[in-house]
Amino acid sequence: MASPYPIYCASFNQDTSCFAIGTKGGFKIFDSSTGRLCYERAIGAFVIVEMLFSSSLLAIVGAGEEPSLSPRRLCLFNTTTATALRELNFLTSILAVRMNKKRLVVILQDKTYVYDINNVAILDAIDTIPNIKGLCAFSPSLEGCFLALPASISKGSVLLYNVMDRHLHCEIDAHRSPLAAIALSSNGMYIATASEQGTIIRVHLVSEATESYSFRRGTYPSTIFSLSFGPSMQLPDILVGTSSSGSVHAFSLGFSIYQRSKRSGSFLGSIIPDSVTDALDPAHHDVLHNAAPAGVKSYAVIRKVDKVADTSTSEIVACRATISIISYNGYFQEYNLSVNSQNEFMWSLEREFKLLTVTTDDSTSS
């Protein structure tokens, strides 16, 4: 399971305040705001390192490059005591792990297990279609705690499972081609999907299983590596995605709807597009080219979104997002993205540094 890149895995915690990377030599945890290296362990190669908010609990899975770090063994690790709290062994390799304050989810190729995270008691075992990439999405909110999994190997259907109540919520036929990327908003209200074609990004309202927005990423096929919603209590203002072209794509959602409602004078009538193709307007989409080398896997999240008000009228006139990007060739970048009321996008690089050379004494504010 050796990676072609120096970074084997990367993940942000549930509120994006920290992120973790796994490498051939061990794993590291960084503060997202400052880039400070908070914790590191050089004990071998890891392919999964997942945090539980900013607690001392990690879920880690080895790459199998050492006999003691089997890809079939999940270790719940305490960073404070540097000890294993619990180990779970499986018959096949663990492909993904997700957590919130009540649930632990383990994704295998043909099965998904749900545990009570407090006592590690198994609650459910879900048979799935072959999921060789371990594709999944998880909303950490306890109120809208959904797990999304591929539902077909021939088309882009997604299964939504309520992890707290332990029942199937719905199945959504999102694309004609198999899925390549899935993301849930943090509160579980919206799901974004991309197929292996990678030309169209679709957003569905989870409660109704209805398509709300559809965006054209591009004309030519591209592999979508990641999708991420901005934090929001309702419709997120912005959705971002990374692709194999090395670009980061930003799609204006809630902010564009708010601007349209001001122009139409009717908010209720504007929160639903006139048609699904309404949001295909290129004005809702912008591309940051060459954020990563073409073909190199990358992962972007929207860490925060601020509304900018006109000082004289107090009307919201712009939206500003902080976007963090991890490229698996070893770089971290942070951009500010501003979208104004005319749907004009402006990117500015705030920070960039090499993840593998940072030590606990380094300053990465450059």
Side-chain angles (χ1 to χ4, degrees):
M1 293 182 69
S3 169
Y5 311 117
I7 292 181
Y8 284 30
C9 65
S11 65
F12 284 79
N13 66 350
Q14 292 82 354
D15 59 11
T16 69
S17 60
C18 298
F19 66 90
I21 62 169
T23 68
K24 184 177 180 63
F27 59 86
K28 300 171 184 274
I29 297 173
F30 296 84
D31 182 290
S32 300
S33 298
T34 64
R36 182 176 64 87
L37 178 61
C38 304
Y39 187 87
E40 64 178 324
R41 291 281 290 177
I43 51 175
F46 288 87
V47 289
I48 293 175
V49 183
E50 292 285 335
M51 305 179 66
L52 180 62
F53 292 91
S54 297
S55 74
S56 59
L57 180 66
L58 295 181
I60 54 177
V61 177
E65 295 181 8
E66 299 90 354
S68 61
L69 296 175
S70 167
R72 298 186 299 275
R73 181 183 300 126
L74 170 64
C75 175
L76 297 179
F77 185 82
N78 186 314
T79 57
T80 303
T81 60
T83 56
L85 299 173
R86 186 75 180 268
E87 290 186 341
L88 297 172
N89 292 287
F90 299 90
L91 296 176
T92 59
S93 293
I94 301 162
L95 302 178
V97 176
R98 298 291 184 267
M99 295 185 287
N100 67 11
K101 292 177 180 178
K102 293 285 181 106
R103 297 288 183 260
L104 167 69
V105 179
V106 180
I107 311 291
L108 309 183
Q109 180 172 311
D110 299 298
K111 216 169 188 70
T112 293
Y113 293 95
V114 180
Y115 296 85
D116 183 319
I117 201 168
N118 294 302
N119 56 17
V120 201
I122 188 165
L123 300 175
D124 209 347
I126 307 164
D127 291 316
T128 64
I129 57 105
N131 183 11
I132 58 174
K133 297 177 184 175
L135 195 61
C136 66
F138 187 58
S139 52
S141 165
L142 298 181
E143 288 74 36
C145 186
F146 291 102
L147 171 69
L149 296 166
S152 171
I153 58 172
S154 59
K155 62 180 181 177
S157 298
V158 60
L159 192 78
L160 278 156
Y161 175 85
N162 188 310
V163 180
M164 296 305 296
D165 297 337
R166 308 203 300 278
H167 67 79
L168 174 64
H169 174 70
C170 67
E171 185 175 322
I172 296 172
D173 291 328
H175 303 269
R176 287 192 292 267
S177 301
L179 295 171
I182 325 171
L184 280 158
S185 60
S186 59
N187 58 9
M189 287 182 66
Y190 291 89
I191 184 169
T193 57
S195 75
E196 290 179 351
Q197 288 291 310
T199 52
I200 299 289
I201 311 295
R202 293 202 164 94
V203 177
H204 286 76
L205 181 64
V206 169
S207 60
E208 306 296 328
T210 53
E211 184 174 338
S212 301
Y213 303 96
S214 186
F215 297 98
R216 180 169 291 280
R217 177 211 56 82
T219 306
Y220 300 103
S222 183
T223 301
I224 303 300
F225 289 135
S226 72
L227 293 169
S228 173
F229 285 104
S232 175
M233 296 302 291
Q234 296 296 323
L235 177 64
D237 288 300
I238 297 175
L239 170 72
V240 296
T242 59
S243 73
S244 56
S245 66
S247 300
V248 178
H249 299 264
F251 306 93
S252 182
L253 281 169
F255 181 68
S256 291
I257 299 304
Y258 172 78
Q259 295 300 326
R260 186 166 58 194
S261 72
K262 288 199 304 182
R263 291 192 291 272
S264 70
S266 167
F267 180 73
L268 190 61
S270 69
I271 58 173
I272 300 173
D274 299 329
S275 68
V276 165
T277 57
D278 185 41
L280 286 170
D281 183 347
H284 296 275
H285 174 214
D286 197 65
V287 184
L288 173 66
H289 295 285
N290 303 315
V296 173
K297 189 175 181 181
S298 56
Y299 175 35
V301 301
I302 304 171
R303 289 204 301 108
K304 63 178 181 177
V305 176
D306 297 314
K307 302 282 183 32
V308 181
D310 185 296
T311 52
S312 58
T313 64
S314 297
E315 281 193 4
I316 304 298
V317 294
C319 174
R320 186 180 297 124
T322 301
I323 299 171
S324 295
I325 306 163
I326 298 173
S327 301
Y328 279 50
N329 63 342
Y331 284 85
F332 175 91
Q333 296 171 304
E334 185 171 280
Y335 285 86
N336 275 341
L337 171 63
S338 295
V339 186
N340 66 17
S341 55
Q342 281 74 50
N343 260 333
E344 295 170 329
F345 291 70
M346 182 177 295
W347 299 81
S348 63
L349 178 62
E350 299 300 310
R351 288 186 295 144
E352 181 177 25
F353 59 89
K354 293 182 180 179
L355 290 163
L356 300 182
T357 57
V358 175
T359 68
T360 50
D361 299 323
D362 282 345
S363 170
T364 57
S365 58
S366 58

